Amino acid sequence: MYLNKKDLILKESSKYLNLFDLGESYTLKSVIEYVARLDGATQYWQLSEPITIPSNVDYEIGFYASRALNDTNLLYIFGYSGGNNQDQHRLALSSGSPQMAYGMGFASKEFNFNGNGQFLLTHSGTSKVTYIEFNTYTDAFNDQTITIDRLMGPWLGVDSGYLNGYVRDFYVKVGGVEVLRIPLTNKSQGATQLATVGNIDATMINYTGDEWGPLP
Amino acid sequence: MSTYAIIPQEQWVDELVDRFPDAPLVQNYRVLVFADAEAAQLKDDYAERGIVELSSSSEIIKHINSGLKPWVILQVEPLRKLMQHFNPPLVEGE
């Protein structure tokens, strides 16, 4: 869209920006950020292959998440669909309590996951713990090797634990180097969202195309 | 928003497993997920199966427990209750 500069005044961050001062002419692009909201009943993101992080390396896992329903059921943000319940690695959220589970031992603490925000899991040094942060919440969990191949979905073949809402901008850093980033925000890519870093993609199971909406 | 259909397992195996390969299993039924825009066409295509639209999760649970054959068209809220009824969430804790 080509516009006359005299016509443009944009409101940005509660102050007015007069584009007349920015140059002779310019192209105004409409940038709408989308996010896919999953139904919490049948849909989840399946990675094209698992990503495994050994416990003896520094790592960081980050993503934004939103939970639309504040029900009391156990919901999974990420996990591994293979193996058995002895070696599942999962970040689960129940009625106000996160449960960062490794093997058969895990810790939990009162935790309010309403609305949305960024989750950050970090593991560094020799402390052998993983710190999890979400808004004002922070806690530490004993850790082992992490394997992730599923976001927002059930595990162990049990059709429960679907997260109603979204996960976006999922990334993994190992040794300070970003090895995987999947934005999960590219509406034009449809069901299979391509990684912008790394070679692991995410496919939405039971995708219809109705899931996309503007990012708030 | 999406629309959902609950259909007998045998019909899914015979006719729709390729189109809906990941349809969740609920008792002897499968849950199909489709776009709202597809709902009318789907009902036309499979009208001979018998289709009922139910909004009450208790009615749908009764339908499933009775082993009835007509397809059930439903929305996401009763579906969640249905899924939780037949697939109770796991309990984890220390």
Side-chain angles (χ1 to χ4, degrees), chain A residues 129-196:
Chain A
V129 296
T130 298
Y131 289 95
I132 176 172
E133 300 173 57
F134 173 72
N135 292 341
T136 59
Y137 170 87
T138 183
D139 203 359
F141 298 84
N142 294 325
D143 71 343
Q144 297 175 359
T145 299
I146 287 181
T147 301
I148 299 170
D149 74 346
R150 184 171 288 186
L151 307 178
M152 305 178 66
W155 62 291
L156 289 178
V158 176
D159 270 325
S160 65
Y162 297 83
L163 177 63
N164 174 238
Y166 65 75
V167 167
R168 64 177 176 87
D169 295 321
F170 181 85
Y171 71 86
V172 176
K173 291 182 180 178
V174 177
V177 177
E178 191 167 276
V179 297
L180 177 64
R181 178 175 289 271
I182 314 177
L184 301 170
T185 55
N186 192 329
K187 182 181 177 181
S188 64
Q189 289 178 352
T192 297
Q193 296 285 296
L194 305 180
T196 54

Side-chain angles (χ1 to χ4, degrees), chain A residues 97-137:
Chain A
S97 297
Q99 298 179 8
M100 188 60 166
Y102 298 104
M104 290 300 288
F106 49 89
S108 64
K109 186 176 179 180
E110 285 303 312
F111 177 79
N112 187 8
F113 178 35
N114 294 322
N116 60 79
Q118 184 180 30
F119 281 83
L120 190 62
L121 286 75
T122 55
H123 170 79
S124 61
T126 57
S127 57
K128 298 300 181 188
V129 296
T130 298
Y131 289 95
I132 176 172
E133 300 173 57
F134 173 72
N135 292 341
T136 59
Y137 170 87

